[in-house]
Amino acid sequence: MRGVFLALALLVGAFCLFRYAREFSVTVAPMEQLAGTEARIRGTVQDHPSRQYGRYYYLVRVERLSVDGESRELPRFTLRVSTGAPFACRPYDTLECTVKFLAFSEEDGLYSGRNSWLASGVSALAYLSDYETVMTAPNTTSPPGKLFAELRHTVGRSFEKHLPSGESGLIRAMLLGERDRVSEEAYCNFKAIGASHLLVISGLHMAALGVFLSLLFGTLPMLGRTGKNLLTAGAVVGFLTLTGFPVSAVRSGIMYLLALLADCLGREPDSVNSLGFAVLVICAVNPFSGGDLGFALSVSATLGILLLANPMTAGLLELVAKRPRFQRLCAPVASSLGVTCSAMLFTLPIQLLVFRSVSLLAPLSSLLLVFPCTLLLYCSLLAAFFGLLPALSPMAEPFFYCAGMLARCSMGIADRLARLTRSMLDLSDPVWVVAVLGIGAVAAFGYFLKRSRRAACTVLAGLLLIFSCGRAFAAVREDTVTVAATADSSCVVLLRGSRAAVLTVGGFQENAARELLTRNGVEQIELLCLPEQSEEANEAAAQLLGWFPVEKLALPKGAYLRRDLESCANRSGYFCPENGETMEVLGGVKLTFLKDMSRISVTANSTEILVETGETGTGECQILFTTAERTKINSAFTVLQNGDIIEKYRKAELARLLPGRYLLPEGNGLFIDLLSDGVIRFRGDSICLK
């Protein structure tokens, strides 16, 4: 039997590899050759547009493509088209326009941007290059895909009509999978506390749907068990279609359908086998699914929950086994902690490789957010159900109200938790080793306490030693100045212990600076410089002024402040530095402002750093941060933060022009430790243009 199973597994693996090779050669390879090419396309719009960073994004099923008037024979593929203004079309209308194809980002290895898009069914990216020649034609038929797209849009709009944008956006993400509707601040809060999985349709959402359907069909006893299961299965498939078949929802949906099938046959479902079958089906249908980070995290977390959640919960309840009443009260808490910790344990390798950080608040956030988010799903389902039936629409009003209150409560809890400092464990820093050893020692102490007093004393001594080493390490870090930078916000930050000096903020990702400071345990900002006057920079500064105590705010002469920023700035105190003015921050770091803050010179631990925020100048330094494509500053290490420059690199237009420069790819950013003895240590991501 084992030999048959092994042979079957090898055949399945060979089939998936064959599917991957075939799809790559047929779909991906021809698309890669189109990068940088302008073409005329004709296809079918798949859905209403998503909106992010002020642009609209359409999924188009391309049926015809021509380059320079010459038609190219390609299989049908799905193209994501970016445009600054929406098209006058609806789902499944015909669209004809001129676009320019973009290259996929291949950074971050297995979970690169290219693999993520391929896993979601998108074969190529492009932007609209000619707004004058756009042509649309309505579709007079009503295919099922169009009906579900319109239904999803109708349900989403119903929440927008009844609730503010923040609450309705959260509900649309949790109920319909429309992640772009969540505000960046709310998403960053959920991400910072390790609860972003609540915003993705997965097992929790499918379980809530199952309970809702059980209550609904429980009022129809004449159907019988098989009839109820068939109706539930149909509703699950309909829900997956409504949400657009996101891969994590498909995984949980297949497992739920297998459980219904087992119930119809009078069998006990095997959850681990169901998970394996779901992964097999998904990878057989779309061989690129393994490159989706959300899918990998979902599978790993589910496997951990299935294998370890019950033993961990039982172990926690054993601690209060002698008090039955107290044990009953602690059962929900133990269950939540068991589920969260088992999921975190199995997803830890992926977080080590990809995120390089772990939220220490994940157990607490799950304990506080799972219950209100589950109630939110129930209320949202009932509101959507009654709202779609005109005769019963008055019954939907209380559920809209309750869903809005629960959404506001959930966002408030996430906001409060995200404001807690030192809640992120930075795995790119050696201090995480001390933390992991400490956790292991605590667990060992609890285990040996029952076995041997001598062993318990030994472990306790080890804990004290680790604590002493941690204190010594923290003292060493106080003498280290860290320069942190991210590409998606063009921000540069100086870090020293729990204090920071923000030299520049900007770019399209306003929350990146706040995330960077929160992740590194910053409790106070000594200086916030705002050399740029863009809307994004002002929004980022407003967030920092609202989240952290800021001692001083530096502005260029004649800078205009928004009204909300002005009140915060007056409270903190702001000044306009003169050309060549020098000041000291973070206990020994020297800053010099040049050319009306267009350049900021930094001297820290015998290292010269220059941050260019505007007009470039002449000079030299050891490390240069710049958003200029061509700079006159000579430096040993130059970091380019401009998003347009990074896009040119992806198109292979820049590597030959700017050798020796370094790019910051989208991701965790770059950390440069300036040690007290003058040694420079680099951590994080950068790409050298050779």
Side-chain angles (χ1 to χ4, degrees), residues 645-662:
I645 298 177
I646 296 174
E647 192 60 46
K648 289 183 179 180
Y649 162 74
R650 291 174 182 160
K651 300 176 186 177
E653 298 176 0
L654 197 68
R656 57 185 175 83
L657 298 177
L658 299 173
R661 299 294 192 262
Y662 291 79

Side-chain angles (χ1 to χ4, degrees), residues 93-175:
D93 286 355
T94 300
L95 172 68
E96 188 172 348
C97 60
T98 302
V99 300
K100 190 167 186 178
F101 284 85
L102 299 173
F104 280 124
S105 170
E106 298 189 15
E107 299 145 10
D108 301 327
L110 174 62
Y111 304 113
S112 63
R114 183 189 72 173
N115 291 343
S116 178
W117 285 118
L118 293 175
S120 62
V122 176
S123 301
L125 307 177
Y127 65 89
L128 186 66
S129 59
D130 188 353
Y131 286 83
E132 302 296 330
T133 59
V134 177
M135 299 174 61
T136 60
N139 187 350
T140 57
T141 62
S142 298
K146 179 180 180 179
L147 296 177
F148 278 101
E150 293 292 355
L151 178 61
R152 177 167 58 251
H153 185 65
T154 301
V155 172
R157 289 297 300 273
S158 67
F159 285 104
E160 286 187 346
K161 292 178 181 178
H162 290 84
L163 301 172
S165 59
E167 288 79 356
S168 64
L170 182 68
I171 293 173
R172 293 183 70 167
M174 296 182 64
L175 185 64

Side-chain angles (χ1 to χ4, degrees), residues 270-582:
D270 189 313
S271 300
V272 176
N273 285 340
S274 299
L275 175 62
F277 181 79
V279 172
L280 172 62
V281 170
I282 291 172
C283 292
V285 173
N286 184 358
F288 302 110
S289 299
D292 183 82
L293 179 59
F295 178 59
L297 290 172
S298 175
V299 172
S300 302
T302 304
L303 184 61
I305 292 170
L306 295 177
L307 295 179
L308 289 183
N310 289 335
M312 293 186 72
T313 302
L316 292 172
L317 291 176
E318 281 185 5
L319 300 176
V320 291
K322 296 181 179 180
R323 299 180 179 180
R325 293 184 179 178
F326 190 63
Q327 189 181 43
R328 285 193 293 269
L329 292 175
C330 292
V333 178
S335 178
S336 175
L337 291 177
V339 169
T340 304
C341 293
S342 58
M344 287 182 62
L345 184 62
F346 270 66
T347 57
L348 185 60
I350 299 177
Q351 297 188 55
L352 279 168
L353 294 173
V354 180
F355 298 115
R356 301 189 183 96
S357 63
V358 174
S359 174
L360 301 178
L361 293 173
L364 179 60
S365 63
S366 294
L367 185 64
L368 297 178
L369 284 173
V370 167
F371 181 68
C373 286
T374 303
L375 290 180
L376 170 61
L377 286 172
Y378 291 151
C379 293
S380 302
L381 285 168
L382 290 170
F385 177 75
F386 290 122
L388 291 174
L389 304 175
L392 301 178
S393 57
M395 297 178 62
E397 298 297 329
F399 295 107
F400 277 118
Y401 176 78
C402 292
M405 292 298 295
L406 288 167
R408 181 171 298 181
C409 175
S410 299
M411 290 191 297
I413 293 173
D415 181 76
R416 292 295 180 183
L417 291 178
R419 291 178 184 271
L420 297 177
T421 59
R422 301 190 181 277
S423 61
M424 295 295 293
L425 186 64
D426 187 359
L427 302 178
S428 64
D429 197 312
V431 73
W432 75 269
V433 179
V434 178
V436 171
L437 288 176
I439 294 172
V442 170
F445 177 74
Y447 175 78
F448 286 118
L449 188 62
K450 299 180 181 179
R451 308 294 181 183
S452 167
R453 182 175 297 179
R454 180 179 298 177
C457 292
T458 303
V459 174
L460 182 59
L463 273 175
L464 293 175
L465 178 62
I466 292 173
F467 178 76
S468 302
C469 293
R471 294 290 296 177
F473 186 79
V476 172
R477 290 189 66 189
E478 286 293 329
D479 294 332
T480 301
V481 178
T482 299
V483 186
T486 60
D488 45 10
S489 68
S490 300
C491 70
V492 179
V493 177
L494 300 177
L495 304 170
R496 192 168 201 168
S498 60
R499 297 166 295 161
V502 181
L503 302 185
T504 177
V505 291
F508 63 87
Q509 179 59 276
E510 300 95 347
N511 296 282
R514 194 200 82 189
E515 280 192 78
L516 185 64
L517 297 180
T518 304
R519 173 183 173 183
N520 287 275
V522 172
E523 298 176 359
Q524 184 177 22
I525 298 177
E526 289 192 11
L527 176 67
L528 171 58
C529 301
L530 192 58
E532 299 181 39
Q533 294 299 299
S534 64
E535 183 63 27
E536 293 83 359
N538 279 289
E539 182 62 32
Q543 288 190 18
L544 295 180
L545 287 166
W547 272 69
F548 302 95
V550 178
E551 292 185 2
K552 296 179 182 179
L553 176 64
L555 300 170
K557 291 182 179 179
Y560 169 77
L561 284 178
R562 299 185 326 193
R563 184 171 298 178
D564 59 337
L565 254 181
E566 187 175 3
S567 59
C568 295
N570 289 329
R571 188 166 59 249
S572 300
Y574 65 93
F575 69 101
C576 299
E578 299 289 339
N579 185 31
E581 182 176 341
T582 300

